[in-house]
Amino acid sequence: MNFRTIIEPFRIKSVEPLAFTTREQRQAALEAAGHNVFLLHASDVLIDLLTDSGTGAMSSAQWGALMQGDESYAGSRSFYRFEQVVRDLTGYRHVIPTHQGRAAERILFHTILVPGDVVPNNNHFDTTRANIEVEDAEARDLVIPEGRVPSLIHPFKGNIDLEALERTLEHDGGRVPLVMVTVTNNSGGGQPVSMENLRGVRRLCDRYGKPFFLDACRFAENAWFIRQREPGYGEHTPRDIAREMFGLADGCTMSAKKDGLANIGGFLALNNDEWAERARNLLILTEGFPTYGGLAGYDLEAIATGLEEVVEEAYLRYRIRSTEYFADKLVSAGVPIIQPAGGHAIYIDARSLLPHIPPLEYPGIALVNALYVEAGIRSVEIGTVMFGRQHDGTEVPPAMDLVRLAIPRRVYTQSHIDYAAEAVIHVASQKDRLRGYRMTYGPAVLRHFTSRFEPR
Ligand code: F0G
């Protein structure tokens, strides 16, 4: 018999109770938090879909590996195991541990950028962009045009526009120290990049003599999409596909809080000896000695085991299906989301769901807050609050007002997803009752974390 049901490929050994609250309690908690869900106490949240980063469940093998952690300051056994696992997966010569992804970005960009440089990418994640801009360099987003249209179906909406990349290399090549591609493309909806596209980037980088780096946070999810959607890869293992992806690049930055299946950690891995030496010297300044880079020995063990587990077929089949399952329910109910579903999250198009709330009254915040009050679900606005403030203090709405529901790895079961879908559909059915918000406090940078609002 060919079973159609894709089950969670684990059973549960340790459980953590969920906190049920009443609608009144949530209303009060949200008011106390200035109507900003970042300021809630997590214990007041029932299902937390704020991020998939560092929020996953470790396996019993990972918890067991923690006890194997060697906490030696220098040359720890856990480092050599971690280095070996990363090398086997990526093929890169130098493996530099960091406390999370943005530390790898900071060290890479501070090592290689000079003011006026340009870094092309499909879409930079916000910390990547910030770590480039802080060096007075430009982060240039070159995703394909299809990647900018939420409702448009395309198998690899994360692809970089190769013609636009070639134009950048042709006109600004002297200012481009490296080309980056983010797999999967988080800021573009968790959309995958095809192997063919990565090969195209490699060819252009060879022609113009540029190094090519991956932002590899969700490399395994990307590998699974290649296996499912790209001709010729259906029989390849996710691990082989991932190795081929890494093999086309010269290095990567990685947040182990995503596809490292760990709660903290990251790394920079690369082939260039000179860059690696400079990066290690910077690492010592801010993160720690090169064999631990801001992590405990037990963290290195957890990540090493996580990187082995994340490419298992049963895991990836379940992971990608569970996001798609959530998306299918919302699409059938007519809720506008980015399609097809990405790997780690659902992105609701709040601007088109709530046309009666103008962008400067924050339709994304209205939806996020309604989901919390109605159902105890925490999501995140990716729109005017996150990106709308200009350097001169004015506000300009970005291209989209999205609400992201990110799915932590191995944490929630199908019934939690059913509940979340029911909640979104319920709130969408009441959409005419939702009102916009006014910002009562907002800092100049990264304002989504701490700003406060009041309902209009
Ligand atoms: N690159 C991408 C594509 C990311 O999604 C993230 C983090 C980072 C780099 C930075 O990694 O958090 O370990 O420093 N994304 C999280 C999110 C925060 O919610 O999407 P980090």
Side-chain angles (χ1 to χ4, degrees):
M1 161 130 189
N2 267 336
F3 286 94
R4 286 180 50 247
T5 311
I6 296 170
I7 59 171
E8 286 85 358
F10 47 79
R11 55 184 180 173
I12 295 166
K13 177 173 278 189
S14 173
V15 298
E16 189 182 4
L18 289 177
F20 289 92
T21 48
T22 63
R23 192 175 190 284
E24 288 66 36
Q25 287 169 329
R26 292 191 293 274
Q27 190 76 55
L30 190 62
E31 266 164 41
H35 296 96
N36 180 351
V37 294
F38 274 104
L39 303 179
L40 288 171
H41 289 220
S43 52
D44 291 329
V45 174
L46 180 66
I47 296 192
D48 204 346
L49 307 182
L50 184 68
T51 179
D52 64 319
S53 180
T55 52
M58 292 209 294
S59 65
S60 50
Q62 283 176 294
W63 284 109
L66 291 193
M67 279 310 287
Q68 305 297 324
D70 172 1
E71 303 304 338
S72 304
Y73 187 93
S76 122
R77 185 186 65 242
S78 301
F79 169 74
Y80 291 111
R81 174 171 177 235
F82 168 84
E83 182 186 50
Q84 196 57 51
V85 168
V86 175
R87 262 196 201 141
D88 286 349
L89 178 69
T90 64
Y92 305 138
R93 206 161 32 246
H94 303 284
V95 178
I96 300 174
T98 60
H99 80 273
Q100 63 183 80
R102 67 197 70 182
E105 294 165 0
R106 157 89 179 137
I107 285 163
L108 173 67
F109 293 132
H110 195 65
T111 299
I112 65 166
L113 293 185
V114 296
D117 276 354
V118 177
V119 179
N121 201 330
N122 40 2
N123 284 114
H124 292 85
F125 180 67
D126 22 346
T127 59
T128 325
R129 171 177 299 281
N131 275 302
I132 291 169
E133 291 178 351
V134 79
E135 305 294 336
D136 288 321
E138 179 193 336
R140 196 174 286 178
D141 286 347
L142 299 176
V143 73
I144 54 170
E146 292 89 335
R148 301 176 200 265
V149 188
S151 59
L152 199 143
I153 308 274
H154 181 288
F156 292 104
K157 271 174 110 167
N159 282 355
I160 194 166
D161 182 336
L162 292 172
E163 283 172 26
L165 176 60
E166 181 156 23
R167 277 196 299 278
T168 289
L169 292 170
E170 189 66 45
H171 298 300
D172 299 316
R175 299 195 284 140
V176 175
L178 87 175
V179 174
M180 277 196 101
V181 172
T182 306
V183 290
T184 57
N185 189 22
N186 184 14
S187 305
Q191 299 292 320
V193 177
S194 70
M195 195 72 84
E196 187 189 9
N197 193 250
L198 295 176
R199 267 190 229 110
V201 175
R202 177 76 264 167
R203 269 196 299 276
L204 286 174
C205 285
D206 285 344
R207 192 176 318 149
Y208 290 87
K210 301 295 178 193
F212 170 23
F213 274 57
L214 293 174
D215 175 337
C217 297
R218 300 178 180 84
F219 74 93
E221 293 172 5
N222 200 88
W224 187 259
F225 281 117
I226 288 177
R227 177 180 150 119
Q228 276 187 317
R229 298 182 184 170
E230 192 158 350
Y233 285 95
E235 303 296 316
H236 291 223
T237 65
R239 185 181 163 78
D240 284 347
I241 296 172
R243 286 169 61 120
E244 189 175 338
M245 289 162 49
F246 285 114
L248 288 166
D250 304 294
C252 71
T253 55
M254 172 74 188
S255 167
K257 301 173 74 173
K258 285 86 167 171
D259 278 350
L261 297 179
N263 299 121
I264 196 71
F267 57 85
L268 169 65
L270 68 172
N271 285 331
N272 184 312
D273 298 337
E274 194 224 318
W275 284 9
E277 189 189 329
R278 282 161 56 202
R280 281 199 185 98
N281 287 331
L282 200 56
L283 185 85
I284 294 174
L285 211 59
T286 59
E287 295 276 302
F289 192 73
T291 60
Y292 73 87
L295 295 171
Y298 54 67
D299 293 323
L300 295 166
E301 293 283 349
I303 298 167
T305 301
L307 288 171
E308 289 170 347
E309 292 178 356
V310 77
V311 289
E312 285 169 10
E313 283 182 38
Y315 163 72
L316 284 169
R317 177 176 296 113
Y318 136 81
R319 168 74 178 157
I320 300 300
R321 176 58 197 150
S322 100
T323 308
E324 184 188 52
Y325 172 82
F326 193 174
D328 287 351
K329 290 195 162 222
L330 301 188
V331 171
S332 338
V335 178
I337 62 166
I338 292 192
Q339 291 193 68
H344 68 295
I346 302 291
Y347 295 71
I348 303 173
D349 184 348
R351 196 179 291 172
S352 80
L353 180 71
L354 305 172
H356 60 288
I357 303 179
L360 293 181
E361 295 180 13
Y362 314 131
I365 296 293
L367 181 57
V368 165
N369 287 350
L371 280 170
Y372 174 67
V373 170
E374 296 303 326
I377 292 173
R378 177 154 68 171
S379 53
V380 64
E381 188 249 25
I382 302 190
T384 304
V385 173
M386 198 178 271
F387 300 123
R389 191 182 192 280
Q390 310 299 299
H391 289 300
D392 63 5
T394 57
E395 257 190 323
V396 180
M400 293 189 259
D401 274 293
L402 301 174
V403 167
R404 184 183 79 173
L405 299 133
I407 315 202
R409 293 168 180 78
R410 306 191 290 204
V411 169
Y412 295 117
T413 63
Q414 182 172 349
S415 64
H416 294 114
I417 301 287
D418 286 339
Y419 173 89
E422 189 180 339
V424 174
I425 293 164
H426 170 71
V427 168
S429 74
Q430 315 264 302
K431 62 184 179 173
D432 295 337
R433 294 205 201 152
L434 269 53
R435 293 285 164 269
Y437 280 83
R438 182 181 300 109
M439 194 181 284
T440 54
Y441 163 74
V445 286
L446 296 174
R447 62 183 187 163
H448 52 289
F449 291 125
T450 54
S451 49
R452 300 178 83 85
F453 305 88
E454 63 185 25
R456 285 185 178 264

